[in-house]
Amino acid sequence: QVQLVESGGGLVQPGGSLRLSCAASGSISSISYMGWYRQAPGNQRELVAGITSGGTTNYADSVKGRFIISRDNTKSTVYLQMNSLKPEDTAAYYCNARGIIGTKNTFGSWGQGTQVTVSS
């Protein structure tokens, strides 16, 4: 079983920055993809940013140029640096990871979520 533990959320003023972290643990052989999603009340969960094991990244148009996703494969950890935050970035942010456990079994796991609130 794979567990994802997120940290780094909180309250920040518009224009401020936050850094989210998500660490994966368990009988993981490899993690092919790690990503951040967010869900605001009344909205569907949406992709914010993702990164492959090789470092290829993708971003939602709404965060391009403001957010940076990175990962440390040695620590099975993904980060989301969020700059120039806007009130519309307010949401619960969820970490997602997909990969292999054991010799050949695939997994897809979600973290418990961390709240980001952007408000003056």
Side-chain angles (χ1 to χ4, degrees):
Q1 191 165 350
V2 176
Q3 291 186 324
L4 302 179
V5 179
E6 300 136 335
S7 61
L11 173 64
V12 64
Q13 292 186 339
S17 298
L18 282 175
R19 188 190 194 212
L20 305 182
S21 300
C22 172
S25 63
S27 301
I28 301 170
S29 295
S30 63
I31 303 176
S32 57
Y33 175 88
M34 300 186 84
W36 289 97
Y37 293 71
R38 66 187 180 188
Q39 187 169 17
N43 292 351
Q44 289 187 331
R45 190 171 296 188
E46 62 177 5
L47 173 69
V48 176
I51 185 167
T52 68
S53 57
T56 300
T57 59
N58 63 300
Y59 294 91
D61 288 342
S62 59
V63 306
K64 284 181 181 177
R66 300 188 298 122
F67 291 10
I68 300 172
I69 189 169
S70 62
R71 64 188 280 178
D72 184 337
N73 291 329
T74 65
K75 297 179 180 179
S76 298
T77 299
V78 64
Y79 307 95
L80 186 67
Q81 178 66 43
M82 303 185 293
N83 302 317
S84 302
L85 283 160
K86 305 176 181 180
E88 51 263 43
D89 294 317
T90 295
Y93 283 69
Y94 296 90
C95 176
N96 175 259
R98 301 193 286 269
I100 304 294
I101 54 175
T103 57
K104 62 178 180 179
N105 295 317
T106 61
F107 75 90
S109 296
W110 291 93
Q112 80 284 357
T114 185
Q115 179 67 34
V116 171
T117 302
V118 184
S119 175
S120 55

